[in-house]
Amino acid sequence: MHVDFASHDVEQVMAATPHECQQHRAGSPECKFFTWKGGTCFMKNSNEGSAHSEMFTVSGPKTCVQEQPKLPLALLVTMYHSDAASIREQEIYNAMAANVRNPWITEVHVLFQPQDPSKGCAALTASLMASNFGRTCLSNTWLQKVKCAQTDHQPTAGELIMYANANLAQLPGFLLSHANVVFDSTLGRVNLNILRQGYGFIMSVNSPRQSSSYAAVMNKDHQDNERCSLGAFGFSWDAYLLAAPIKGNLQLDFFMNRKGAENKMAWQFWKGAGIQIYNPCLHVNAFHWHGTAPAEGRPVGDGGLSVDHLWPCWDCPGVTPTTAKRDLCAKGRRMPFSTPQWQDNFWAPSSERHQLCCQTPRACDDKILSSVQSPGWSGASSQRT
């Protein structure tokens, strides 16, 4: 889990990954727990006392293997670089540096459009290293992950998929994301092999936690509407986890940063490529480092071909949940959907059944469910059974 166990250290060694840290623990009878942080393994004889959340920090018991990196995973983004160094660009470069530093991401592919073409991809690496996060946490070794392809225009969603098909098909999976979305060690909860079985994931984003890495590098906290919810803001997402090549009759001639683009892309992946899509944002974190006003262009005209609702799932295929299945809804009440239209919020095969886990018996009444469109509503969470 991505927390730091404070104190109780018995030994400190260098370890490139959490898995290597676990191997060190195996040879130390006194060690019962561990915390891996930025290449250092702190072996501990207890997990009692204070523990706090910290991005890219992995802690666990001696036998825990859940958080190990499993298979190679690439991140694919597109970026425009100006010489103005706006707050928005500072957020993007700090977010990118954080993802480069994430050991669960093995390659970072950037379709890069510099304002001054003569500067080329050197402007990308220089800006990554100059970011607050980069100055603190990056080295030339980490930068070897970065694969830069210079472009003279903003790539469309279709061009990004073409790039993935040509360059990432040898990998088990890739993240297609906005450049200001930061991922953490919860990527290790996904069994990437399932992506070759006709599954894909979208991930709704949340704001950075208070006193998080965002606050450290931007010198301020940021709180936005949580997208990983059943409320009015829970029907959008900024990242996809897929496997290349993606085949099918895809209509993706628009930019990812347009309003409604994510809904249209999900429809194309579902109907055009036959991918069964789930939203595991309750288990896999995606943090939106975006404290400035959005710079979206005109909305994407969808002609009705869009996925407007994709609720988070507790029991997602190929994803290790934060709570054991036997403990799901332990303090609530499981209720089936009483009206067929609620199934449309999952875009899943009709052979699967879905239930709501309600905090109170009344929370599953149709009258209460209708308030799911209201801002801030959080009375239920979904479970695939």
Side-chain angles (χ1 to χ4, degrees), residues 21-136:
C21 185
Q22 182 191 33
Q23 292 177 322
H24 282 298
R25 294 201 321 274
S28 175
E30 189 178 359
C31 175
K32 301 286 192 298
F33 298 89
F34 81 104
T35 289
W36 179 88
K37 183 191 303 185
T40 303
C41 179
F42 301 89
M43 293 185 280
K44 302 171 182 290
N45 58 16
S46 174
N47 67 341
E48 295 181 357
S50 61
H52 61 274
S53 176
E54 187 168 333
M55 192 176 296
F56 310 132
T57 296
V58 179
S59 297
K62 191 169 187 175
T63 58
C64 176
V65 297
Q66 175 179 320
E67 296 279 356
Q68 297 175 15
K70 297 176 175 63
L71 295 168
L73 178 66
L75 171 65
L76 173 59
V77 301
T78 178
M79 293 177 61
Y80 174 80
H81 172 83
S82 73
D83 297 325
S86 65
I87 296 297
R88 182 179 177 83
E89 284 205 2
Q90 291 177 40
E91 289 176 328
I92 289 174
Y93 279 111
N94 277 296
M96 285 295 298
N99 285 326
V100 171
R101 191 64 174 78
N102 186 342
W104 275 260
I105 297 174
T106 52
E107 298 180 11
V108 178
H109 292 250
V110 183
L111 301 191
F112 189 65
Q113 183 189 3
Q115 184 180 32
D116 181 356
S118 66
K119 293 185 176 181
C121 287
L124 171 62
T125 54
S127 296
L128 286 172
M129 292 299 291
S131 68
N132 288 340
F133 197 103
R135 288 198 302 268
T136 304

Side-chain angles (χ1 to χ4, degrees), residues 2 55 91 95 177-178 180-184 186 189 202-210 212-214 221-239 279-291 312 314 322 376-378:
H2 45 98
M55 192 176 296
E91 289 176 328
S177 173
H178 292 296
N180 55 11
V181 176
V182 174
F183 303 93
D184 64 9
T186 55
R189 292 178 178 152
I202 60 99
M203 281 178 279
S204 297
V205 296
N206 284 323
S207 297
R209 298 187 178 97
Q210 286 191 339
S212 65
S213 296
Y214 177 90
D221 274 318
H222 164 53
Q223 189 65 35
D224 197 0
N225 297 313
E226 303 296 333
R227 264 57 181 180
C228 185
S229 70
L230 297 182
F233 302 106
F235 303 142
S236 67
W237 41 89
D238 290 78
N279 185 353
C281 65
L282 295 171
H283 314 295
V284 183
N285 294 326
F287 298 106
H288 204 193
W289 284 22
H290 186 28
W314 274 110
T322 55
W377 191 88
S378 59

